[in-house]
Each structure stands twice: as C-alpha cells, then as structure tokens.
Amino acid sequence: MIARPGITHDNRFFWEGLRERKLRIQRCSACHQLQHPPAPMCTGCHSFELGAIEASGRGTIHSFVVAEHPRIPPFEYPNVIVLVELEEGTRLVSRLRGVAPDDVAIGQPVMVDFERVDDELTLHCFRPARS
Ligand SMILES: [Zn+2]
C-alpha cells in the first residue's frame, strides 16, 4: 500500500502527462506565468484561464535534502529529494536517481525521467544529464 497523490480537476493534466512520459507545467493563458504545483488560479494575475506547456525536462538542482526517515514505500532510502529549476524558469520538487547522496551538487544539470508505479500512476524523477 502506497500513499497516492490527490488527483483533482486542477492537476489531472499533470498526472495524465506523466503517464504519457511528459512533464507538463501549468501556464497562465493571460500573463503566461508558469506555476507548479498546479492551482485553480494564476498566482501572478489571478486569472482562471490556465493551460499547460510540455517542459523539456532539462534543469539544474537548485537545492536538495537527503531523506532517511520516515521510510515510505515505494521510495528507496536514502532518498535524495531535489528542488529542480527547470530551464523554462519554474521549479518543482522531485527525487534524484543515479547519484550517491555525497555526490549531489547544487547547480548540477539533471534530466527528467519517469517511473511507472502501476496502470494509474507514474511518478517523475530526475537523473544526471549527459552533457
Ligand atoms: Zn496570470
């Protein structure tokens, strides 16, 4: 049994995108501001006219923590949790795979990857980018 994300009218596009191995970021149709996580209203201009873009998946590590506890399935521990600055200019919290916790560095280039949990749920994570 794993904890599952709460999927709502406002964030359904994001989770459906992950199932298609696409990282979609909400964008305001009025002022074009990107925001994540998805919300019902633009935090910049308060418009309710919201769309989404497909992000390239490229970014850099803005910050990170190494989580040891509590140990929550399906994640592996130590779990490197990163705040990624996407090249489009917004940030999201994800997990970093393929790097030992001692080797993680601020500013490190990363690329999105997708991990299928089951038919309903796919999660995003990031891996070191090949330069
Ligand atoms: Zn706006």
Side-chain angles (χ1 to χ4, degrees), residues 41 46 57 80:
M41 183 176 74
H46 301 171
V80 181

Side-chain angles (χ1 to χ4, degrees), residues 4-117:
R4 304 186 74 89
I7 296 178
T8 68
H9 173 76
D10 297 313
N11 66 23
R12 185 173 308 280
F13 75 92
F14 179 76
W15 297 104
E16 289 180 349
L18 293 180
R19 287 212 309 262
E20 299 168 17
R21 300 179 67 83
K22 293 174 180 169
L23 181 64
R24 292 185 181 137
I25 300 294
Q26 192 172 49
R27 182 175 65 177
C28 175
S29 301
C31 75
H32 298 162
Q33 174 179 286
L34 298 174
Q35 61 184 14
H36 186 84
M41 183 176 74
C42 173
T43 59
C45 74
H46 301 171
S47 171
F48 292 99
E49 299 298 319
L50 299 167
I53 61 156
E54 183 181 340
S56 70
R58 287 186 292 271
T60 55
I61 296 175
H62 181 78
S63 186
F64 71 97
V65 296
V66 180
E68 295 279 0
H69 301 283
R71 298 194 167 205
I72 302 166
F75 305 120
E76 294 165 7
Y77 291 83
N79 187 7
V80 181
I81 298 169
V82 284
L83 181 60
V84 175
E85 173 113 22
L86 295 176
E87 67 176 6
E88 287 83 2
T90 192
R91 296 174 184 164
L92 82 166
V93 175
S94 189
R95 291 183 303 128
L96 185 66
R97 307 296 307 275
V99 182
D102 288 347
D103 295 336
V104 182
I106 301 296
Q108 185 173 354
V110 289
M111 182 70 192
V112 75
D113 195 5
F114 302 92
E115 293 185 318
R116 183 183 176 281
V117 176

